[in-house]
Amino acid sequence: MSPPPRVLLLEDDPSIRRFVAMALSGLPIDLLQAASIAQAKAALAQGDVSLLIADLMLPDGSGMDLLADVQADRGSHAALRTVVFSAGVSATLREQATQLGAWGVIEKPVSFKDLVQCVQQALAHDEGVGPSPAIDAPQRHLHIDPDQRQRAIDAHFGGRGALFDAFMTHCVDQLPMDLQAGDAASTAGDVAALRRVAHNLKSVLQLIGSVGGHAVARELESACMAGAPLDALTAQWQALRLQVSEICRPAGAAGGATAV
């Protein structure tokens, strides 16, 4: 019996890695995870990777650079298919990805159904990659509006509340660490690091249905890219911080305005 196909996920945000791992857990694949280009290169060097799903904005460079390396060394990666996994996908980005030999492009946030379908189609040449079964997980009650929760379940989790609740359980552990990273970047005046935090939170907040939080994160990322003054970035970070803190607050706890 042949081993399952190996899929390499290159993504620096732990929450997004968790979402992808949960979504793909029912497929007969061996999912490898990398948080940097260096880690991804090390995994690819071991060989036998059938599919690379690559984010673009990473701590040590752009995922496009890795795709270019793979394209230039097709002799070592003849059977490897690549998929770009990024927020804010444009026509220009799609064209660049195609020129670098990408099999497909997934725009964040992606629904559970679309993600599974993409992987199944990309691995169609590998036998036994069939539909994913349901995922059961304990529910964890968080400070999130019921309508927001249902919108997120319908839009991104294939109507499966248990999958959403499992992802939120991870988020409530991960988001405080994102807040710490944002605080450190803001205090140090590290605009590049602050932009990465905003970029990652933008996708996660949209996945969980936080329309307001997603908008604030998007604005902060754009301001960082535009070279806005540090005091303005700090103020925007505090606004985003409030949104995330409200989501992390358990239901019933005292707090300010509800994040939506």
Side-chain angles (χ1 to χ4, degrees):
M1 182 177 180
S2 60
R6 304 178 80 197
V7 176
L8 173 59
L9 171 64
L10 171 56
E11 169 62 61
D12 65 316
D13 184 357
S15 293
I16 299 297
R17 290 201 305 270
R18 173 60 174 161
F19 173 78
V20 174
M22 289 167 55
L24 302 183
S25 63
L27 296 181
I29 63 174
D30 180 12
L31 182 64
L32 310 177
Q33 299 186 32
S36 67
I37 293 176
Q39 291 179 6
K41 286 183 176 180
L44 289 173
Q46 297 177 13
D48 298 327
V49 175
S50 300
L51 176 63
L52 167 64
I53 304 174
D55 187 20
L56 297 185
M57 187 180 297
L58 298 154
D60 55 348
S62 170
M64 286 294 194
D65 295 334
L66 180 59
L67 264 63
D69 290 344
V70 169
Q71 182 75 347
D73 189 18
R74 271 297 170 187
S76 301
H77 306 291
L80 177 66
R81 286 185 171 178
T82 57
V83 170
V84 169
F85 185 39
S86 181
V89 173
S90 64
T92 299
L93 187 148
R94 290 182 183 275
E95 182 178 354
Q96 292 174 341
T98 300
Q99 291 175 350
L100 292 176
W103 180 84
V105 176
I106 307 175
E107 184 169 9
K108 297 177 184 176
V110 62
S111 70
F112 161 78
K113 177 182 178 180
D114 289 343
L115 179 59
V116 170
Q117 184 178 48
C118 175
V119 172
Q120 288 175 324
Q121 291 176 350
L123 296 176
H125 57 290
D126 290 292
E127 297 181 357
V129 183
S132 173
I135 297 176
D136 192 16
Q139 182 171 353
R140 188 171 185 179
H141 298 286
L142 301 171
H143 189 74
I144 185 169
D145 181 83
D147 291 337
Q148 171 187 328
R149 177 179 182 274
Q150 192 59 52
R151 287 196 303 270
I153 291 171
D154 293 340
H156 305 302
F157 293 83
R160 291 162 57 182
L163 182 66
F164 173 85
D165 293 331
F167 182 62
M168 284 296 289
T169 298
H170 167 78
C171 286
V172 81
D173 294 327
Q174 176 60 39
L175 288 176
M177 290 187 280
D178 293 332
L179 291 178
Q180 292 177 5
D183 287 341
S186 178
T187 300
D190 188 339
V191 176
L194 190 61
R195 179 190 172 192
R196 285 196 299 271
V197 172
H199 177 79
N200 290 338
L201 285 174
K202 179 180 68 174
S203 297
V204 172
L205 292 172
Q206 190 167 8
L207 273 174
I208 65 177
S210 177
V211 177
H214 166 74
V216 176
R218 183 181 57 199
E219 291 170 1
L220 175 56
E221 181 186 22
S222 297
C224 289
M225 295 172 62
L230 185 58
D231 58 345
L233 296 179
T234 299
Q236 287 182 290
W237 164 245
Q238 290 302 319
L240 177 56
R241 195 185 198 290
L242 177 62
Q243 293 278 344
V244 176
S245 296
E246 282 295 317
I247 293 170
C248 293
R249 176 168 63 85
T258 301
V260 294

